[in-house]
Amino acid sequence: MTGTPFVDRTVFVDNLTAQHSAGSAGTPTAARRPVAETFHGRVRGTVEGDVAVFRGIPFAAPPVGDLRFAAPQPPHTWEGVLDAEAFGPIPAQAEVPSSAVAPPPSPGDDGRGCLTANVWTTDLSGNRPVMVWIYGGGYLAGSSADPVYDGAVLAEEGGVVVVTFNYRVGAEGFGQIAGAPANRGLLDQVAALEWVRDNAAAFGGDPAQVTVFGQSAGGGGVAALLAMPRAAGLFRRVIAQSVPGIFVSPELAADVMATIAAGVGVTATVEGLREISPAALATAVDALDIREYADRWGAFAYGVTPFSPVVDGEVLPDTPWKALKNGASHDVELIVGHTRDEFRKMLAGRGLLGRVTEEMTEDALRALAPDGYRAAFPEKTPEQLYETLHSDWLFRMPSANLARDHTGRSFLYEFVVEAPGFGGALGACHGADVALTFGNLTGPLVEKLLGPQPNAELTTLSAEMRAAWTAFARGEGPGWGEFDDAGTTWVIGADPIVRSYPEQLSANLWAGHDFPCLPLRTSAAGREGSTS
C-alpha cells in the first residue's frame, strides 16, 4: 500500500484552538473531536488536555468464525466516520484485568473485534517519531486498555506519537494448533506494525522512525520481531524490557496444547477447538499447572506460563539470540534491560517467600543452572539462590545476552529501584519499571506496587527514563554509552549511574548459554535447561 492518506489537519488545529479559548469546562463536545483519515476510513477521536487520542481503531479483521485461529486479515473499510473514543474489546483471557477500561472479552461480533490500536498525538500535521508499545502478561493475558499504558505523558513531553494495540493471547494467540499458523499473537504484532507503517502519517507520525517497545511478554515479542523476516523494515529501533528467555519447539508447544485440549474433551485442531468458546478455552488454560509436567516438558515446567513463542522455522525461524548473532536486524538500534529482583514478585505470588527449601533449590539447580552456579554464590541462602537462579534464567540473562549478541548498536540498563509497596518486600521486582516508563504513577494497581503517593524519587526517575526512551526514539541516543566489552550499563536507581554491568558474575556463568529453543523431552533423563 502506497501513498499518504488525507489528514483532516484543519479540524484538529481548530479543535485545539477552540478548546484553549473556551476552557475545558466550556468546550463544546464537537470542538473536542479531531478527525483523521486512515486507509480504511475516517476516525474521530477526542482531545484530552493538549493531546488528541484515538482509541479502538481496527488494524485487523475480528478473529472470529473462520478467522478465529487464522493469521490476521486486513480490517474492513467503513463508510462515514468511525467513533474512536473507547478502547476495543479485550482479547479473550481467563481473567479480565481489573484495571482495564475497555469492554470485556467478546467474540468480536461488535464488528470491530479485539484487534484494535490506540493513538496519542499532539500534532496531526507533524512528522514525529512513533513509539509502539507491546504489553506483557505472560503471553496469557493483557490489554492495551490498562491505564498504566496511557500514552499521553510520553506523547506530550517526548515529542512522539504513541501507539498501543491488542494482540491475541493464550491459546488463541500462541497455542500450537493443527491446521493453524504458529505464533498468531506475533503475527498480530506484525499486522499492527504494518498498520502503523501505512497510517502513522495520518496522526502526525513518521513511519520511517518507528520504535517498538515492550515489557515481559511484550519484551519477548520485541525480541521475536528482531528475528522475524516478516517484521523486517517495520521499525528502526527497539526497547526490550525484561525479555523472557523461553522459546519452544513445535513439538513441545503441540504437547502443551494437546494437554489443554484433552482437558476439555477435544483435539488440538482448529476443528476441535472451535467447539470450545474462547472464554471456556481460556478457563481451561488457566487450570493447567505446568509444574506438574516436568517429566515431559523439562525446563519449560519451571517457567511461569504455558505459552511462549514457537520456533516454527517459518514465522519465527530461530531464537532471537541465535538470529542476532547471525546478523539479523543489524541495522536496528536496541535498548534492553531488566530489573534487579525479577523473580521476587513471582515468588510472592506463589506464596513461597520465606518457604523455599533446600530440596526445591537443588531441584531447580539440576534443571536450570549452568555448571558452578552454587559455588559462585556461597553466601546466598537456599531461597536467595533459588530466586537469583530464576531471575537469571527467566529474564536477567536473556536480556543481557540480547545486548551481547546483537551485532548492531546496543544499550543495556538495569533497574534497581525498590518498589515501596508491600513494605518494600518485593525489591526491584518484575514490572516495577512499567509505570515509570509511561509516567503514570497513580491508579489502584500501580499504587499497590509503588505506594499511594509517588515520592519525589520515583517522579524524578520516571522523568529520566521517559527522557531517555523518547530521546532514543528521536534518534538522539539514550544518554549513556553503548554496551561493550566493559559491560557499560545504565543503572537506574536513586542516583542513576553508568558503570560496568552489576550482574557480571551471573553473566560469566551464563556466557556460553544462548537460550536455545526448548524441546519436548523424550525421557525423564537429561537437563533441558542446562548449558552443560
Side-chain angles (χ1 to χ4, degrees), residues 346-496:
M346 298 165 195
L347 202 64
R350 293 179 174 181
L352 292 176
L353 278 179
R355 297 183 179 181
V356 175
T357 65
E358 176 71 30
E359 182 181 10
M360 291 169 61
T361 301
E362 285 295 333
D363 179 61
L365 287 167
R366 285 192 297 270
L368 307 175
D371 291 337
Y373 201 86
R374 175 181 278 280
F377 300 100
E379 77 289 354
K380 289 187 181 291
T381 66
E383 181 163 316
Q384 290 171 338
L385 190 61
Y386 183 92
E387 180 192 330
T388 300
L389 173 59
H390 281 81
S391 291
D392 278 349
W393 179 67
L394 281 169
F395 299 107
R396 299 201 311 180
M397 296 305 104
S399 300
N401 285 8
L402 204 69
R404 178 201 70 190
D405 293 340
H406 185 38
T407 57
R409 297 185 73 198
S410 297
F411 302 86
L412 182 67
Y413 75 89
E414 181 176 34
F415 184 88
V416 300
V417 181
E418 297 193 357
F422 302 96
L426 300 185
C429 64
H430 186 74
D433 54 331
V434 177
L436 277 69
T437 299
F438 280 86
N440 300 320
L441 304 183
T442 59
L445 295 186
V446 172
E447 289 172 5
K448 286 183 180 180
L449 190 61
L450 301 183
Q453 293 294 329
N455 59 39
E457 175 186 306
L458 289 176
T459 301
T460 299
L461 285 174
S462 176
E464 292 190 45
M465 285 186 68
R466 297 195 311 271
W469 271 215
T470 55
F472 179 71
R474 294 193 301 268
E476 301 166 8
W480 73 95
E482 290 184 49
F483 183 73
D484 51 22
D485 292 340
T488 298
T489 306
W490 187 35
V491 180
I492 308 171
D495 295 305

Side-chain angles (χ1 to χ4, degrees), residues 40 57-61 70-75 115-117 132 134 163 165-168 183-199 225 228 230-231 234:
H40 296 95
I57 307 172
F59 67 82
Q73 299 299 308
L115 299 182
T116 58
V132 183
I134 304 178
V163 178
F165 64 90
N166 289 339
Y167 61 93
R168 283 173 286 182
N183 298 307
R184 295 172 299 283
L186 296 181
L187 291 175
D188 291 345
Q189 295 172 19
V190 172
L193 289 170
E194 290 174 336
W195 181 88
V196 169
R197 175 196 63 200
D198 295 339
N199 294 284
L225 289 167
M228 292 173 62
R230 298 187 191 201
L234 293 176

Side-chain angles (χ1 to χ4, degrees), residues 86 133 203 255 366 423 431 452 518 521 523:
W133 173 255
F203 302 95
D255 199 59
R366 285 192 297 270
L518 295 182
R521 294 180 68 162
S523 72

Side-chain angles (χ1 to χ4, degrees), residues 92-114:
Q93 50 200 269
E95 295 184 8
V96 179
S98 60
S99 61
V101 287
S106 85
D109 57 6
D110 63 345
R112 192 171 307 196
C114 67

